[in-house]
Each structure stands twice: as C-alpha cells, then as structure tokens.
Amino acid sequence: MNLRLVDTFRQVILRGSMTAAAAHLHTSQPSVSRAVADLERSTGLTLFRRHAGRVVPTEAGMAFFREVERSFRGLDSLAQSAREIRLLGSGRLRVACIPALATTLLPIVIAEFCRRWPEAAVSLEMRSESTIARWASAAYCDVGFASLRPDAFGVRIEDLYRGAGVCAVPQAHKLARRRAMTTADLAGEQLIIPSSADVTRIQLDAILHAATSTRVPRIETPYGMTICGLVAEGLGVGIVNPLIAAYRPPAGVRFVPFEPAIVYRGYVVRPEVADENPLADRFVALARQVLAERFDHVVDVVPARA
C-alpha cells in the first residue's frame, strides 16, 4: 500500500478538510482529492462522503483511520529509536530485574547513570527469575539482575554480590533490642517468609525447621518489601535481603543480624550476542560501583572478571 496515499488520507482526517490537508502537505487540493480517490480504489473502501463541498469520514473511513494511527505510532517509535541510536550508538537500554533489586539497588544506579549519560533512555522491567533468564536468552533485554543463577541457553552470567539475610522485626517487639538472633529466638513467633518459588526458601526451611517444628508460616510472599510492610503492621517477623535493610529502611521495622547465615546472592545475566549494547557494560560497572560505595557494609561485592 502506498504510504504517501495513506498519509494524505490521515492528514485529511486530522486537518478536517482536503484544503487544510493540502496546505499542510504543501500541495494542491486537487492532488489531495486524487490521492484519496486512489486510496479508495486500492482498498475497496468508501472513506469519505461528499456533502455540500465538504468531506465527512464514513464509518469504514474512521475504522481505517484508527488502524492507520496505530501504524503511524509504530513509525514514530522507529523514528525515536533511530534518534537514540544516532545519539548513543545503541538506542534504549533494556533492564530486567527481580523486585528486591528493582526497589533498592537499581533506583540509585539508574539515577547516577542518567546523570552521567543524560541522553540515555532506560527501560526497567521488574520480572521473575524465570522471565529474566528467558528474556536474556532471547536478547529481549540487554542486562538482567537476578538472585538465582539461571540454567538457560545463550546467556552470560556474572556473580555480582553475596550477603547474609537479616531478620525484620516490629520496632516495638522484644527481639528488636537484640544485637543478633538465632533460630531459637524464633520459637513461638509468627513467621512471614518467602513463597516456595523464592531461591532462599530452601535455606529457610532447613534452618528454621528446628525452631518452627511443623508449624505452618503465618504468611508467605515472594517480595521482601512486602514482608517488611507486614512486619511493620505487627503481623510477625521475617528474613529479608540485606539490601532492603540498607536502602531506606521502612518505618516501624528494625533489622537484626541472623545466625546461621541465610545467603542472598546477586547475578548479572546478559545475552550472549555479537552486537552487545555498549551501554550495558557501563550500567553493570556502575551497579558494582554503587554496591561497593553504598552497600558494602551488608554485602560482599564480587569483582568483575577481567
């Protein structure tokens, strides 16, 4: 289908008349009229009714216009992508991340990244471990941040950090005064723990078994920030990623070191492609830097491989 004819039709709808469309397109009104007639012949649709010297879109014409607008929005997106490629050499940086990092580490990294490269465009998607692995394998994202080393084809995995989980307790709770806690301290407490899909759940089940016996946890949720919110409401205690404790701790919650250690890990997952987005290297390096500067008291940062 001739794009010039389609754009002429679109301008007639947007401008309200063939005369106004002709002025916008820097052509004559008869040329616009011929273009619309040619498009009607090629589509087999009656796009306008002619009435008293005016053209009024038909129902079929408006339905066709809606499809045209969707297509032109796609073209606008391509134009924006081209501008980003000219400016950055790679276009938008697509990042996929688990919730624990999307709500702690990544806001700091993205803020500094945008300060250093103000023309950069970043897309951050908060997704599950399996989705991050799948997206990286398909090169749907440029870089992923996960807590589980994925078993996926076509990805490159780098260790990022490791750190011991901490126990979140209500600020007024008797355990909040402890300098450290053990499984024995959890006996008789209402537990808020990660759901069975979480990578730390196996560790927790093994470590907490002695203290909880056959008791069923009061609440399960896969999100550390949600655990903190529930703890703040006095619904129980829970073990969370140390990054959550270090990044703007929520009101009403105290974090206490827990023994034996429940280890939380972070990984960088990237597509194994020949034409890597050059912004991804900068972003990952900056993530390591932020971890070392802001979170080194709660996690050990794994150096990048040479």
Side-chain angles (χ1 to χ4, degrees), residues 185-202:
D185 296 313
L186 299 181
E189 298 295 335
Q190 298 286 357
L191 299 180
I192 306 169
I193 66 175
S195 60
S196 57
D198 193 280
V199 66
T200 59
R201 179 61 182 269
I202 296 175

Side-chain angles (χ1 to χ4, degrees), residues 93 105-117 122 145 160 268 270 279-295 301 304:
L93 179 69
L105 171 66
L106 266 293
I108 304 173
V109 176
I110 292 173
E112 181 60 27
F113 185 83
C114 290
R115 276 192 288 270
R116 295 188 186 188
W117 296 282
V122 180
F145 292 88
L160 183 61
V268 176
R270 300 172 66 173
L279 290 177
D281 283 333
R282 303 177 193 174
F283 195 86
V284 172
L286 188 55
R288 293 186 192 279
Q289 180 183 331
V290 170
L291 280 168
E293 292 175 354
R294 296 282 296 269
F295 298 99
V301 184

Side-chain angles (χ1 to χ4, degrees), residues 19 38 40 52 58 61 67 79 118 126-127 150-151 164 173 176 235 248 283 298:
T19 301
D38 289 344
E40 287 181 321
T58 62
E67 294 302 318
M126 192 164 65
R127 290 292 184 267
D151 181 17
H173 196 286
L235 294 174
R248 298 181 185 175
F283 195 86
V298 294

